[in-house]
Amino acid sequence: MQFGHLAGCGNARSLGPGFPVELNVSVPIASRENSEPSTTSSTFNGVRLSTRIMPAAHAARGGDWCETFVVSGDVIALSIGDVCGHGLEKFAAMVAVRRAIRDAACQGLNPAHTLSEANRFLRRYDPEENATALFALLNTRQRSLVFANAGHPPPLMAGPCGSLLLEYPEGDLPLGIEAELLPALHVLGVPAGTLFVLYTDGVSERERNPLQGEAQLHDAARFAYKVSTLLTAAVIEKRMFLTGFNRDDAAILTALTPFAQIAQNVTMEVLN
């Protein structure tokens, strides 16, 4: 098990309403650079973060990534994506796109414009390449999540009342398909004690049955929420039977917000 550090932005600027950037943070980047499955775990303002990356069987390295990095004293970035295909030949493209997203976010862009810049980068880097990506900013002070999706599987959120896929009618293309791309920007409030699960299609479509995989993912997320003292990304991996032979690369990123606000609300209700 690898306990990683959070990556950080060295020159962060304002992200606009709701995302003030006040700090310049420079923290070592924690990312998988080897052929073995790897796990990272870290905490940011009470949010418990974990990642799990699993290359496809017999692949030296893969094309999936997931990482978190600090944008400001209140904001943590969640980044996940999948370069089309798998194996060593996709690894270089994955590293380049992952870095392009991080660089754009550290310039103060919101998630939609961050992915737009990453799309331009990928078109220059290799016009024949494409990738799905989801990028989110979690504001711990305002308890909000802003995200954009470029053709990637929708994020899932789980809580005491169950689980929900954050799907929207309008779908956006993956990176690299069109010369210009500006995905829709989604904003939602984040209740205390919420588990967000970001994943690649190697997780939800392992058996080549998307509906079955979606049902299994809901079950795994709800189970991980109940045992949230453990590393939730690794719990979901085991619950999804991803510990054995995998045809495709797979990645899981989880973010569990603190439960403290729930306890505070209960106390206030009793006092009133």
Side-chain angles (χ1 to χ4, degrees):
M1 183 181 302
Q2 174 186 353
F3 290 85
H5 299 285
L6 296 175
C9 295
N11 280 307
R13 298 201 301 264
S14 174
L15 292 163
F19 289 94
V21 173
E22 301 169 351
L23 300 181
N24 289 332
V25 184
S26 181
V27 187
I29 295 165
S31 59
R32 189 260 300 163
E33 298 290 353
N34 55 53
S35 60
E36 297 299 322
S38 65
T39 301
T40 68
S41 175
S42 54
T43 303
F44 176 79
N45 290 353
V47 178
R48 296 176 56 200
L49 304 153
S50 66
T51 69
R52 182 70 176 160
I53 299 181
M54 301 143 282
H58 309 305
R61 291 172 173 173
D64 287 17
W65 81 85
C66 60
E67 70 169 358
T68 63
F69 55 90
V70 176
V71 174
S72 80
D74 298 318
V75 180
I76 186 77
L78 315 176
S79 175
I80 191 166
D82 178 3
V83 173
C84 184
H86 60 268
L88 183 59
E89 66 275 12
K90 300 298 178 179
F91 179 75
M94 178 276 289
V95 172
V97 175
R98 182 186 66 190
R99 180 73 197 197
I101 290 174
R102 189 190 310 145
D103 289 347
C106 288
Q107 291 299 313
L109 301 180
N110 68 30
H113 285 97
T114 292
L115 292 183
S116 180
E117 285 298 312
N119 180 73
R120 293 190 187 101
F121 168 83
L122 186 56
R123 294 282 295 183
R124 295 192 303 269
Y125 178 86
D126 184 348
E128 302 301 318
E129 193 67 84
N130 60 79
T132 67
L134 190 147
F135 184 70
L137 295 173
L138 177 61
N139 188 313
T140 59
R141 180 173 58 86
Q142 296 191 354
R143 295 193 295 277
S144 62
L145 184 81
V146 176
F147 73 93
N149 189 338
H152 199 77
L156 183 147
M157 61 186 295
C161 297
S163 57
L164 174 70
L165 281 175
L166 301 176
E167 296 183 283
Y168 296 87
E170 68 278 12
D172 289 296
L173 293 173
L175 306 177
I177 301 295
E178 298 287 349
E180 294 296 330
L181 173 71
L182 184 63
L185 193 65
H186 307 290
V187 183
L188 63 150
V190 178
T194 296
L195 174 65
F196 288 102
V197 181
L198 282 59
Y199 56 96
T200 59
D201 61 8
V203 174
S204 57
E205 299 179 15
R206 176 176 179 268
E207 301 295 338
R208 301 297 191 263
N209 186 330
L211 292 179
Q212 177 184 333
E214 182 178 308
Q216 290 175 335
L217 182 61
H218 277 281
D219 173 77
R222 290 192 292 264
F223 181 80
Y225 184 81
K226 293 176 182 178
V227 295
S228 56
T229 54
L230 304 176
L231 296 181
T232 48
V235 169
I236 291 171
E237 176 202 16
K238 293 179 180 178
R239 194 76 173 181
M240 296 288 290
F241 304 104
L242 293 167
T243 54
F245 181 90
N246 295 318
R247 298 185 183 92
D248 196 3
D249 303 325
I252 303 169
L253 187 161
T254 63
L256 177 65
T257 62
F259 290 87
Q261 188 64 34
I262 295 177
Q264 181 181 355
N265 288 342
V266 171
T267 301
M268 291 176 64
E269 289 175 3
V270 172
L271 292 177
N272 292 335

